[in-house]
Amino acid sequence: MAVPVAFFAVFFAYPVAAIVARGLKADGTWHLGRIGEVLAQSDVRHVLWFTTWQAFVSTALTLIVALPGAYVFARFHFPGKQVLRAVVTVPFVLPTVVVGTAFLALVGRGGLLDEQWGVRLDTTVWAILLAHVFFNYAVVVRTVGGLWAQLDPRQEEAARMLGASPLRAWRQVTLPALAPAVAAAALMVFLFTFTSFGVVQILGGPTFSTLEVEIYRQTSEIFDLSTAAVLTLIQFVAVGAILALHAWTVRRRETALRLVDASVTARRPRGAGQWALLGGVLVTVAVLLVLPLAVLVQRSLGAPGFGYYRALTSEDGGVFLVPPIEAIGNSLSYAVAATLIAVVIGSLAAVALTRRDAGRFVRGFDALLMLPLGVSAVTVGFGFLISLDEPPLDLRSSWILVPLAQALVGVPFVVRTMLPVLRAVDVRLREAASVLGASPWRVWREVDLPIVRRALLIAAGFAFAVSLGEFGATVFIARPDRPTLPVAVARLLGRPGDLNYGQAMALSTILMVVCAVALLVLERLRTDRTGEF
């Protein structure tokens, strides 16, 4: 635990504490009254209300749209199911900047709906809600569908034989069993939408702002660190409560059910109703998930002769000190370094968490590992700048700063992917190897590693994908001569002109393709045990 604890203490707790202290402490005195002053501001209360309201509505819409898909993937077997599973998961691993850009191409000025029917949604909250459903659809399908596929269907069939209608059998037998998974999925969707940044930053404009966007605005535009610190504390408390609820629902899910092999519960659809349900899910996936990405690609090809792509190779002397195309190499190199860091830190933490003699501190650290997913990435990025600026940790001019920030987001995915597999390793195998004289390192290398190798590769793939798309912290610490893809896209969208807009679409398409390839590789490695997140 020493290395993971030190890593999170230095590169997460210390930067966050530093920026909060900078905002609330002056002349050696804490000004806690500033919290009440900030909360009394009408615009801050409006941001809090909108953040909470849109998160609840986004979560409800995602559950309504995605639960039929979870059932289809859990209970039906049909041609192309594995490919469709990968397609459904692509939006989740896409950077939020790309998601916002895709919906901007669909519903924004000059977008598909604007050209065809004169409808623009980018200035309304509907664009944000739809983009959140797009992004989180896979969370519900994977989380709920993974459990649904392992529920014994004979329990519901027995209720039907005793006279219950299909709806009553589902409501009284299946739904209570699914409740922990539905609650866990809902809490994760709420967490992601409550802390939404890239989507709201691009689609919300000056009209709509979440806590994360407001923290960014107060920090980088108004330079009001005290207000940003108060908003960071509010978000920290809210995220802590959400993660505590999530941990409780996950424990219920792991201990309350007896499951069956998922491979025996899926069958081909029967009857007109089931085929209609499958068709409806396919149409939903096509319209909600595929169409925005297709429009994004189409917009990137708007200039003749791949003009927008060719423009990426030229240096404009404006926002970029280098040609925008160099952002691709920068992002890939940063993501590789971040993945290595995340895999090392996450693997050590996962091994420690699976020890039977782990104390209360180690078990508590399990929940803390999830905090980087919910705490403001903007706060972490700016905290890096103001805290890691003195020897022996003067890293402001070092390239390693970006991978360190990206690894903070990747570690929770590594831990969550490896924990179930490590916990499934029979402890007697380790004990037998130890009795035969193997050292602890050799036991890990020859017993654990062959079993968890596939999970380790999947964890590395997820860490690579999320590192590639990290935006909130990177926008502060990426050097002007080494921008990442998400930062380059955001800067291009912030400049007027069709050429800048087209280049943003081209870079977003490239980023989408890279993430999709990484996901397809993951899907080939996926097993029923390690494939959920």
Side-chain angles (χ1 to χ4, degrees):
M1 285 296 295
V3 175
V5 168
F7 178 80
F8 273 84
V10 173
F11 298 113
F12 178 69
Y14 177 49
V16 172
I19 194 172
V20 171
R22 181 72 65 91
L24 297 180
K25 192 175 182 181
D27 301 325
T29 303
W30 287 92
H31 297 275
L32 299 182
R34 181 60 179 159
I35 297 177
E37 295 175 4
V38 171
L39 291 177
Q41 299 175 13
S42 59
D43 55 341
V44 170
R45 292 200 303 271
H46 176 74
V47 169
L48 290 172
W49 165 247
F50 176 75
T51 301
T52 306
W53 174 84
Q54 64 82 26
F56 273 114
V57 176
S58 296
T59 301
L61 286 176
T62 304
L63 290 175
I64 292 171
V65 174
L67 281 176
Y71 175 79
V72 165
F73 278 100
R75 295 303 197 199
F76 291 168
H77 178 72
F78 52 91
K81 181 178 178 179
Q82 296 302 320
V83 175
L84 188 64
R85 186 195 298 270
V87 170
V88 165
T89 314
V90 164
F92 180 75
V93 299
L94 285 180
T96 55
V97 171
V98 175
V99 175
T101 307
F103 272 82
L104 190 66
L106 178 64
V107 303
R109 177 179 56 84
L112 179 64
L113 296 184
D114 187 20
E115 288 183 350
Q116 297 295 326
W117 297 289
V119 176
R120 284 186 60 189
L121 298 178
D122 61 319
T123 56
T124 71
V125 72
W126 280 106
I128 297 173
L129 297 178
L130 290 175
H132 284 162
V133 175
F134 168 91
F135 183 77
N136 293 292
Y137 185 91
V139 175
V140 177
V141 168
R142 291 275 188 155
T143 305
V144 180
L147 178 61
W148 210 334
Q150 295 178 281
L151 292 181
D152 192 344
R154 292 174 296 182
Q155 298 177 5
E156 190 171 325
E157 293 169 359
R160 294 284 306 280
M161 291 182 63
L162 293 174
S165 64
L167 178 60
R168 184 180 180 186
W170 181 83
R171 189 177 69 248
Q172 296 187 349
V173 177
T174 304
L175 183 58
L178 286 176
V182 173
L187 285 168
M188 289 305 295
V189 173
F190 187 87
L191 173 65
F192 290 138
T193 53
F194 187 84
T195 58
S196 181
F197 178 56
V199 168
V200 181
Q201 177 79 350
I202 292 175
L203 296 175
T207 307
F208 303 106
S209 180
T210 57
L211 272 173
E212 187 84 356
V213 174
E214 188 64 19
I215 291 171
Y216 174 77
R217 190 175 73 89
Q218 295 287 343
T219 303
S220 64
E221 298 177 9
I222 304 178
F223 305 108
D224 186 351
L225 289 186
S226 63
T227 299
V230 172
L231 296 179
T232 297
L233 289 176
I234 293 172
Q235 184 167 320
F236 186 84
V237 172
V239 167
I242 295 170
L243 291 178
L245 282 173
H246 181 263
W248 179 71
T249 57
V250 167
R251 283 196 299 270
R252 285 187 60 197
R253 177 185 171 187
E254 290 178 344
T255 60
L257 300 172
R258 288 182 296 178
L259 307 177
V260 299
D261 187 356
S263 62
V264 303
T265 61
R267 53 179 172 76
R268 290 183 63 84
R270 300 173 184 172
Q274 293 187 356
W275 281 107
L277 177 60
L278 175 59
V281 169
L282 294 178
V283 170
T284 300
V285 170
V287 173
L288 180 64
L289 306 185
V290 177
L291 181 59
L293 301 179
V295 173
L296 176 65
V297 176
Q298 185 266 332
R299 295 295 176 190
S300 73
L301 299 173
F306 297 95
Y308 293 141
Y309 289 91
R310 287 190 287 107
L312 296 175
T313 61
S314 63
E315 186 174 342
D316 63 1
V319 173
F320 297 101
L321 301 180
V322 296
I325 194 70
E326 293 192 12
I328 300 173
N330 297 336
S331 286
L332 292 175
S333 59
Y334 285 145
V336 169
T339 300
L340 292 175
I341 297 172
V343 167
V344 172
I345 300 298
S347 299
L348 290 173
V351 171
L353 291 171
T354 54
R355 289 182 60 90
R356 289 185 302 172
D357 56 347
R360 181 176 301 177
F361 170 75
V362 175
R363 291 193 297 269
F365 189 66
D366 185 14
L368 295 179
L369 290 171
M370 295 290 288
L371 280 178
L373 292 180
V375 172
S376 171
V378 171
T379 300
V380 174
F382 195 67
F384 270 31
L385 293 181
I386 67 173
S387 62
L388 304 180
D389 60 344
E390 296 179 357
L393 285 175
D394 186 2
L395 302 177
R396 286 179 300 174
S397 59
S398 174
W399 66 272
I400 196 64
L401 207 59
V402 174
L404 287 172
Q406 294 174 343
L408 283 172
V409 184
V411 168
F413 287 89
V414 175
V415 174
R416 289 295 147 218
T417 303
M418 294 189 64
L419 267 181
V421 182
L422 284 170
R423 285 172 174 163
V425 177
D426 192 340
V427 68
R428 292 173 297 182
L429 296 176
R430 301 187 184 112
E431 294 171 348
S434 299
V435 169
L436 293 173
S439 64
W441 167 246
R442 188 176 180 185
V443 170
W444 160 253
R445 189 176 70 248
E446 297 190 11
V447 176
D448 292 74
L449 184 58
I451 298 175
V452 303
R453 183 183 292 115
R454 188 183 298 269
L456 187 62
L457 292 173
I458 292 174
F462 273 121
F464 179 81
V466 298
S467 300
L468 196 66
E470 205 287 321
F471 175 62
T474 308
V475 71
F476 275 97
I477 57 181
R479 292 164 48 180
D481 59 338
R482 294 202 66 184
T484 63
L485 277 169
V487 172
V489 170
R491 289 178 180 174
L492 286 168
L493 287 175
R495 302 176 67 188
D498 291 337
L499 180 60
N500 292 315
Y501 179 82
Q503 289 183 86
M505 296 295 163
L507 278 181
S508 296
T509 301
I510 293 171
L511 188 51
M512 177 187 70
V513 171
V514 174
C515 290
V517 170
L519 180 64
L520 290 173
V521 172
L522 291 181
E523 193 63 28
R524 292 184 63 86
L525 294 172
R526 189 187 65 85
T527 65
D528 287 335
R529 172 169 286 176
T530 61
E532 298 176 24
F533 54 81

